Amino acid sequence: PFAQALADDSNLLLLHACVAVEERPVRDSKEETGPLFAELARIELKLNLVLQMLGDVVRRGHPAALARVRFNALGASWWPKGAAPQCGSRGVLRIQLRGALPQMLDLPGEVTSIADGEVKIRFDQVSDAIAELLGRLIFLRHRRRLADVKKSRTS
């Protein structure tokens, strides 16, 4: 229980950070003037650079088999590039939500099926707070993807 509480705290912090990044408001060009905005933009760029460099260092120290994953608060599916886990096995799925954030989202669960190379896992220890933030993050990313598609069609 103690280890799960630590993992929950870490996951909540990461999800709050990702949601904050995704919810960043679109700035009006009229607001983008003045010395305060220029200084904040400069600090934001430096912070993003530091986060990216930290992420690179962490990834070099912890090589992992990378695979695209689809997930929600209930479970996930992916096509592993290496050896697949066995059906019924338990473990922790580690998901990197953003390249600039080195912290991984760790979600414990059980492998429920393996078919045509696709592995499906059901999460079994996701708190309500984490489930709510996961749903919010997924919604924000989906909305942004739709906006990008719409923008590309009109361009």
Side-chain angles (χ1 to χ4, degrees), residues 38-52:
E39 184 64 18
L40 286 174
R42 187 181 69 77
I43 291 170
E44 182 180 16
L45 286 172
K46 285 183 175 183
L47 184 57
N48 287 341
L49 179 61
V50 168
L51 286 172
Q52 186 64 48

Side-chain angles (χ1 to χ4, degrees), residues 12-125:
L12 283 170
L13 182 63
L14 175 62
L15 287 166
H16 277 294
C18 285
V19 166
V21 169
E22 295 289 332
E23 284 185 333
R24 184 173 59 189
V26 176
R27 296 180 180 131
D28 185 9
S29 61
K30 294 176 186 174
E31 295 175 11
E32 296 180 4
T33 59
L36 181 59
F37 176 79
E39 184 64 18
L40 286 174
R42 187 181 69 77
I43 291 170
E44 182 180 16
L45 286 172
K46 285 183 175 183
L47 184 57
N48 287 341
L49 179 61
V50 168
L51 286 172
Q52 186 64 48
M53 290 185 326
L54 179 61
D56 290 344
V57 169
V58 169
R59 279 188 294 282
R60 276 188 228 131
H62 295 51
L66 300 178
R68 293 189 68 112
V69 63
R70 290 185 302 195
F71 65 98
N72 59 28
L74 302 176
S77 65
W78 75 97
W79 290 262
K81 296 188 180 187
Q86 293 191 5
C87 194
S89 62
R90 298 192 44 75
V92 175
L93 181 63
R94 304 191 84 206
I95 302 172
Q96 184 168 10
L97 295 173
R98 298 188 68 80
L101 295 174
Q103 184 180 353
M104 300 283 195
L105 182 66
D106 293 332
L107 300 167
E110 180 179 348
V111 176
T112 57
S113 70
I114 301 172
D116 299 324
E118 179 183 21
V119 176
K120 292 185 179 183
I121 185 173
R122 179 180 36 87
F123 303 136
D124 55 11
Q125 296 178 11

Side-chain angles (χ1 to χ4, degrees), residues 1 4-13 15-16 72-75 105-109 123-136:
Q4 186 59 46
L6 287 175
D8 283 352
D9 288 346
S10 178
N11 286 340
L12 283 170
L13 182 63
L15 287 166
H16 277 294
N72 59 28
L74 302 176
L105 182 66
D106 293 332
L107 300 167
F123 303 136
D124 55 11
Q125 296 178 11
V126 175
S127 69
D128 291 342
I130 291 173
E132 181 182 330
L133 282 169
L134 274 172
R136 191 167 162 196

